[in-house]
Amino acid sequence: MREAPARTSEDLRRTLARIDGRGYPAYKEIAGAYDFGRFVLRIDHVQGDPFASPSRLRIVMEPGRMNLPAWAAATPLRRVATADWLIRRFDRAIAAVTGGGARRGSGKSGLIAIDRPGQEVLPRTACVVAEGRVEVRFFAGLPAAGRRVLGKQAMEMLCGDIPQLVERALVLRPGDEADLQRHVNTVEDQAALREALAGLGLVAFVGDGAILPRESGVSDRPLRGPNVVPFAAPPSLAVEIDTPHRGRVRGMGIPRGVTLIVGGGYHGKSTLLRALARGVYDHIPGDGRELVVTDPTAVKIRAEDGRRIEQVDISPFIRNLPF
């Protein structure tokens, strides 16, 4: 149910006007909840200094006021996928509304930020989608000149920027539902593939057409360009698995037991292993690894740097290598 705070956005404006120019601790007076009509703004923690960790805020909305379809929160998996989609929209909206991180004074003044997700779709506390309620949790640096309250700038930020963020990121417009549907469907297909592994005697699956290389060693985004080779399953390991949205997909099934990945330098061994290690997580549409799934109990084990093995016969592993 929607919260019913005693104060309104006008009360927040009046408080900010009253404390303008006072010492920074005066910001403590704005802690609490404010009704903006479409949403409730909750200021949970007010930083004690403009150079300290930013204040913690929440936007609380009813799904109906967001035009959020009922199917988007119908299952736990859909709620996670929908929350992930909303976080990414909110992050992009911050850049658009604030001009990419404009400051309003000393320290972290004017900063608005949300925990930015990577390529995986995971349960996160930055956004919670529940029955009858959506919460988006983010950080804001309350404006100050030195250690004096900048009430006017704070008013622009809390009563101007944040409502804009809500309209841009949290209120669905025509066409947004189709994008959300694609996001949710992608996650549900990955879950279906992962669930099918055990019944097929597999520990992992790599779908045909998957893009496994990343754009750099410090980026998890997919490599782009005409020279990128999509994955194709060898016939000896090819399997087909049904998914609820894509239908039947073909790819390489890795069976339970010992499997070796061999090949020359720069042939993609490490790239495949990295993709398999991340296959315990769902990935966003366009990541390239949407059809790469691994048994959720899988773990990656790596020898400690500097360790070595001596006087062990490994000929059974290498006797029949290709070429």
Side-chain angles (χ1 to χ4, degrees):
M1 295 296 292
R2 189 179 181 201
E3 298 181 19
R7 291 181 285 183
T8 68
S9 59
E10 287 306 312
D11 294 322
L12 178 58
R13 290 177 181 274
R14 283 192 289 268
T15 302
L16 291 171
R18 178 169 52 81
I19 66 175
D20 185 34
R22 290 171 54 182
Y24 203 85
Y27 268 131
K28 297 289 184 182
E29 295 185 30
I30 69 171
Y34 299 88
D35 193 339
F36 277 70
R38 188 188 286 273
F39 66 95
V40 171
L41 175 65
R42 297 193 64 89
I43 304 174
D44 294 319
H45 169 75
V46 177
Q47 65 204 89
D49 185 276
F51 297 92
S53 297
S55 303
R56 297 193 295 270
L57 288 72
R58 280 183 289 155
I59 292 168
V60 183
M61 298 186 72
E62 296 174 356
R65 292 178 177 267
M66 303 169 63
N67 301 326
L68 191 68
W71 58 259
T75 66
L77 185 62
R78 288 184 180 186
R79 289 193 285 272
V80 170
T82 298
D84 180 87
W85 185 79
L86 290 171
I87 292 171
R88 295 174 194 277
R89 278 172 62 92
F90 197 84
D91 182 57
R92 293 192 296 268
I94 289 172
V97 169
T98 66
R103 295 291 190 267
R104 290 185 169 103
S106 309
K108 297 179 174 65
S109 293
L111 171 71
I112 300 177
I114 193 168
D115 283 338
R116 179 173 296 175
Q119 297 294 100
E120 293 81 19
V121 179
L122 298 168
R124 297 182 175 91
T125 57
C127 180
V128 176
V129 176
E131 186 176 353
R133 178 189 182 95
V134 174
E135 287 191 14
V136 176
R137 302 160 180 176
F138 61 104
F139 306 99
L142 299 177
R147 285 179 170 80
R148 296 284 177 183
V149 169
L150 290 177
K152 181 178 179 182
Q153 287 86 337
M155 202 180 304
E156 293 172 350
M157 179 175 148
L158 298 177
C159 301
D161 290 353
I162 289 177
Q164 286 189 60
L165 289 174
V166 169
E167 293 298 323
R168 277 178 171 266
L170 305 184
V171 179
L172 276 66
R173 306 298 181 195
D176 290 339
E177 185 172 341
D179 188 60
L180 172 59
Q181 181 84 67
R182 175 171 172 257
H183 199 88
V184 172
N185 289 354
T186 299
V187 172
E188 288 188 327
D189 280 347
Q190 290 171 82
L193 288 171
R194 199 174 289 109
E195 187 176 352
L197 293 177
L200 296 172
L202 304 176
V203 294
F205 174 85
V206 184
D208 285 354
I211 303 298
L212 305 186
R214 303 293 94 184
E215 64 181 9
S216 74
V218 295
S219 172
D220 203 32
R221 295 179 178 179
L223 184 65
R224 309 287 187 186
N227 296 324
V228 176
V229 180
F231 184 85
S236 59
L237 293 175
V239 297
E240 293 185 349
I241 304 177
D242 290 323
T243 62
H245 305 292
R246 281 180 179 256
R248 178 162 292 193
V249 294
R250 180 187 184 276
M252 178 178 71
I254 299 179
R256 290 187 177 277
V258 177
T259 299
L260 299 182
I261 301 174
V262 298
Y266 296 94
H267 281 194
K269 303 183 300 296
S270 297
T271 299
L272 176 58
L273 282 170
R274 281 194 292 268
L276 293 172
R278 307 301 288 182
V280 296
Y281 306 120
D282 297 324
H283 290 84
I284 60 173
D287 173 77
R289 297 170 294 184
E290 302 96 310
L291 296 179
V292 181
V293 296
T294 305
D295 186 310
T297 64
V299 294
K300 176 182 177 180
I301 300 175
R302 179 177 177 176
E304 180 183 358
D305 288 345
R307 298 288 295 272
R308 67 184 186 274
I309 298 174
E310 297 181 89
Q311 300 179 357
V312 175
D313 180 12
I314 64 170
S315 60
F317 295 102
I318 62 175
R319 184 176 294 124
N320 297 315
L321 291 183
F323 311 112

